[in-house]
Amino acid sequence: MRSRAIAAAFLAVGIGLAGCAASGDSAEPSTPPTLTATQAPTPTPTPTPLTPGEQAAQQVARMTIAEQAALVVMGTAPGTDAAALADYVSVGPDGLILMGGNVPATPDELRGLTDTVHAASDQALIAIDQEGGDVRRMPWDELASSYELKTAAPAETQAAFAARAGLLAAAGVDINFGIVADVPRTQDSFIFGRSYGTDPQAVADRVAAAVAGERGVVASTLKHFPGHGAAEGDSHSAIPTSAQTLAEWRTFDAIPFEAGIDAGAELVMTGHLRFPSIAAEPASLSPEWYRILREDLGFDGVAVTDDLGMLGSSGEVAYADPVANSVAAIAAGADLVLMIAGSTPETAGQIITALEQRASTDATFAERLAEAASRVLMLKSTL
């Protein structure tokens, strides 16, 4: 009641003052009231800066579906013609993996090639398999490989990968698909020669050291999740299978992947490996394995598939179509699909078209595609 009376009094005074001013031409102009401390304007709050993930998501939201799809595909084209490879990324996928046939004779020539490719697309990402030893695309890399590093102190692994990262960065490479986190059971294993031993903790120590060596120079990739050691056999020509349970996996094969993730690895490569007690599909196409990677291991970087062309060599009819495999991988949780074996320069474009078509008619898939594109774009922003 008191507040209404005060308001009425102020209103009456205001009317009276207005009437006095209107009745005489000689009335003094009214003086603006002085603001008291309690009447000072409220300062405009400083906006909270966007996180890198939010910035990437905003940028992706402004893209067309086709542009988003191009971000999540990495393919290959033949030869060392820089202009031809630049054309490949300018009209097709933003990702290019360099195979041995793409690497010129000298480091300077390779740098010229990668500079040309990067200039062709703002989003271009260039990757390479540079493990050292048998698996290396740059022949001038004579640094220590797993052969020597298995029995050397982890510090030597860090030093070798720091030097290797320097070679890659000087060559204009963004991503190294080079850190093998598999734990073979015996020396007879398909993957033993590329691994860091048969003891999970010893492997974990060297995997973490390799990531530390590459950190801040090139993006590191752990492979082949969830572990080629548990699933024996060559996934280039079959889908190796393991009877291991999730509980058994957590106490053995998961250990090096956890160590590499904790060390800051930016990518994890999923393998074409089947664990029937955990998922019916190969891990590269399995929603459950991507869930385990994200929720159980806490990985928030880019999940990239191993070469999806390898699945076509397995003889399983369900995985004969690389384009269908790519769509299934993104739907399952992959952020970047890799296509090499059996592909032509047109294959990546076909995958992009298929992703675009699926996203145009499936809102859930469109959200998944945007999420994948955001993670790839965020990776690009850190390089």
Side-chain angles (χ1 to χ4, degrees):
M1 182 66 73
R2 185 170 181 273
S3 61
R4 290 183 183 176
I6 292 171
F10 272 106
L11 180 60
V13 171
I15 293 172
L17 289 174
C20 292
S23 63
D25 295 337
S26 61
E28 293 289 337
S30 59
T31 303
T34 302
L35 292 175
T36 65
T38 59
Q39 294 172 309
T42 302
T44 303
T46 303
T48 303
L50 295 177
T51 66
E54 291 168 338
Q55 292 175 6
Q58 283 192 358
Q59 188 172 345
V60 166
R62 294 191 292 268
M63 292 180 171
T64 66
I65 296 177
E67 288 170 335
Q68 294 176 18
L71 270 174
V72 305
V73 179
M74 178 171 283
T76 186
T80 58
D81 184 334
L85 293 173
D87 287 344
Y88 178 70
V89 301
S90 66
V91 300
D94 288 312
L96 174 69
I97 180 170
L98 298 176
M99 305 303 291
N102 299 124
V103 177
T106 69
D108 287 344
E109 289 176 291
L110 179 55
R111 183 55 189 248
L113 184 154
T114 57
D115 283 347
T116 302
V117 171
H118 278 130
S121 168
D122 291 340
Q123 313 304 344
L125 281 173
I126 300 176
I128 199 168
D129 288 305
Q130 198 71 18
E131 299 173 14
D134 289 342
V135 180
R136 54 178 180 153
R137 310 305 183 206
M138 302 188 324
W140 51 86
D141 174 1
E142 297 180 351
L143 296 160
S145 70
S146 61
Y147 291 111
E148 300 85 16
L149 298 173
K150 278 183 180 66
T151 55
E156 293 191 35
T157 300
Q158 181 169 342
F161 273 84
R164 182 164 289 124
L167 292 178
L168 293 172
V173 173
D174 303 306
I175 300 169
N176 186 18
F177 294 150
I179 301 178
V180 176
D182 303 311
V183 188
R185 299 311 191 258
T186 71
Q187 295 186 19
D188 296 327
S189 168
F190 154 76
I191 204 70
F192 178 79
R194 297 162 57 191
S195 76
Y196 293 94
T198 56
D199 175 75
Q201 189 56 57
V203 174
D205 292 343
R206 285 154 184 79
V207 164
V211 174
E214 292 187 334
R215 190 73 175 153
V217 184
V218 295
S220 298
T221 308
L222 312 176
K223 59 185 187 184
H224 307 80
F225 182 82
H228 226 307
E232 293 291 353
D234 187 346
S235 57
H236 291 89
S237 56
I239 300 177
T241 299
S242 171
Q244 197 176 52
T245 66
L246 183 59
E248 291 168 338
W249 175 82
R250 290 289 286 114
T251 62
F252 202 91
D253 295 273
I255 293 172
F257 288 100
E258 286 183 301
I261 289 168
D262 290 345
E266 293 88 350
L267 299 96
V268 170
M269 178 179 286
T270 54
H272 309 313
L273 313 169
R274 182 181 280 129
F275 293 67
S277 71
I278 301 169
E281 314 92 340
S284 54
L285 306 182
S286 166
E288 178 61 10
W289 275 114
Y290 287 106
R291 185 201 65 76
I292 292 167
L293 177 62
R294 300 291 184 197
E295 297 180 11
D296 294 4
L297 271 60
F299 181 64
D300 60 3
V302 171
V304 55
T305 69
D306 203 348
D307 172 19
L308 290 170
M310 293 160 55
L311 281 173
S313 303
S314 69
E316 296 194 24
V317 176
Y319 307 121
D321 182 357
V323 175
N325 292 339
S326 299
V327 175
I330 294 294
D335 303 308
L336 186 62
V337 293
L338 182 61
M339 185 65 209
I340 305 169
S343 66
T344 69
E346 291 72 40
T347 305
Q350 294 166 358
I351 293 171
I352 292 169
T353 298
L355 293 171
E356 181 184 12
Q357 291 174 343
R358 173 73 178 271
S360 298
T361 58
D362 182 337
T364 300
F365 185 83
E367 291 178 6
R368 173 79 270 281
L369 176 62
E371 177 186 51
S374 296
R375 285 205 184 104
V376 174
L377 197 60
M378 187 161 56
L379 171 65
K380 173 66 177 174
S381 73
T382 67
L383 298 175

